[in-house]
Amino acid sequence: MIAKLKGLLDSVSEIGCIVDVGGVGYQVFASARTLRNLPPMGQAVQLFIETHVREDHIHLFGFLTQAERAWFNLLQTVQGVGAKVALAILGSLSTDELTRALAAGDKAMLTRCDGVGPKLAVRLITELKDKLGGLDLGAAAAGLPSAGESAAVEGQGAVADALSALVNLGYKRVDAFGAVTVAARQLGDKADVSSLIRLGLKELAK
């Protein structure tokens, strides 16, 4: 079982890359997002590897972070999601974006990914929403805003305060996060703590 490769980036294709480790080239399949973030060819690279062994092949799937590898495995627990679709999802959405989409029940965001239709989007939300807290899937799994959030600092503070209030009321963090995310999207610039809590409670009551 290969769990990690560290070597020189030999070449990159549309579906993966070759990593030269001591003169041996390993073919590694990867998401488009991972491939976009690889170093220049000839430079050192480290990839976390998930090894799939079948009767007719051994495939290596590579990821720049442990979180992305964890998501790759979690996605494939859903019926209809194989390695190809899992990589397509990870290529379209960052781990934080994926966590927020599932927590908020955002089917539209999920159907942006190749291979994900409305039915599969619903299945992903239904089967994975309660599993978000079980793995280290990125900052959003803990209910934290990611570094790429475009909201103002005041908005982030209001979201964090509303999330904390709902959790203190006894709601699961992932459910509260999803409700507050939906409320923040509806309120936009008008979002304040009391409004977020009020709309969040309405979402949780559905």
Side-chain angles (χ1 to χ4, degrees), residues 115-176:
V116 179
K119 290 184 179 179
L120 182 53
V122 171
R123 197 179 306 139
L124 286 164
I125 292 167
T126 302
E127 297 187 22
L128 297 183
K129 185 176 181 180
D130 291 337
K131 299 179 181 179
L132 297 182
L135 293 172
D136 180 14
L137 300 175
L144 302 173
S146 71
E149 288 287 347
S150 59
V153 173
E154 291 81 7
Q156 292 181 349
V159 168
D161 290 344
L163 173 64
S164 178
L166 294 178
V167 171
N168 289 336
L169 287 172
Y171 292 100
K172 291 182 180 179
R173 192 171 186 84
V174 64
D175 292 334

Side-chain angles (χ1 to χ4, degrees), residues 51-120:
T51 305
H52 282 193
V53 179
R54 301 290 186 268
E55 291 183 1
D56 57 344
H57 69 255
I58 298 176
H59 282 172
L60 305 181
F61 298 91
F63 313 92
L64 290 173
T65 66
Q66 296 274 24
E68 190 183 18
R69 182 171 67 179
W71 264 119
F72 177 73
N73 288 320
L74 185 60
L75 286 167
Q76 290 179 86
T77 65
V78 177
Q79 182 183 359
V81 179
K84 184 177 180 180
V85 173
L87 287 182
I89 293 172
L90 292 170
S92 297
L93 301 174
S94 69
T95 54
D96 282 354
E97 288 171 336
L98 183 51
T99 303
R100 288 195 294 275
L102 292 172
D106 193 337
K107 297 187 290 293
M109 181 175 284
L110 292 171
T111 54
R112 285 167 33 194
C113 307
D114 289 342
V116 179
K119 290 184 179 179
L120 182 53

